[in-house]
Amino acid sequence: MSAPSQQQPRFSGGRRAVVGVVSGSAVGGALTMASAPWEAVVLTVLATLVVSLLLGLAQIVMPEESEHKRDLLLAWIRHRDRRARVHERQSAQRTRGTQSRR
């Protein structure tokens, strides 16, 4: 028996960006045909492009393996906890500094 091959994603790489552009253009065209104000058309097209680019970036940044995703999540949680402790120390030092001035 051969090992099962992994299925390739339907839209990969550059095709995802093309899908975002085409969907943004389609929505913009529909709004233009509906006599929507040009501001609404521009905002809708820009929002569609931004969302598609952010989703593409997130897929590039996030690892494929679930174990790696878990490691990335744990590292982010540790970083957030460390930042919270530093923030607490700084605010405690500020309050101590203002109390000694009184």
Side-chain angles (χ1 to χ4, degrees):
M1 285 195 157
S2 63
S5 63
Q6 290 186 352
Q7 189 175 10
Q8 294 294 324
R10 186 171 174 194
F11 298 110
S12 62
R15 291 181 71 187
R16 184 171 292 116
V18 171
V19 169
V21 169
V22 169
S23 63
S25 299
V27 170
L31 287 174
T32 303
M33 291 172 66
S35 298
W38 69 269
E39 296 95 350
V41 174
V42 170
L43 286 175
T44 304
V45 170
L46 287 177
T48 304
L49 292 175
V50 167
V51 167
S52 65
L53 289 174
L54 287 176
L55 290 175
L57 180 64
Q59 189 144 20
I60 289 170
V61 172
M62 289 298 293
E64 291 287 323
E65 300 294 322
S66 62
E67 182 179 317
H68 295 233
K69 287 181 183 178
R70 185 198 68 211
D71 293 342
L72 183 63
L73 179 64
L74 290 174
W76 178 74
I77 290 171
R78 282 192 299 267
H79 172 74
R80 192 182 64 179
D81 290 342
R82 211 174 19 241
R83 295 279 307 218
R85 277 188 251 121
V86 167
H87 181 68
E88 287 172 3
R89 268 190 254 130
Q90 288 175 347
S91 61
Q93 287 175 352
R94 276 189 231 122
T95 57
R96 270 188 265 136
T98 57
Q99 289 174 355
S100 63
R101 292 180 191 165
R102 292 181 184 177

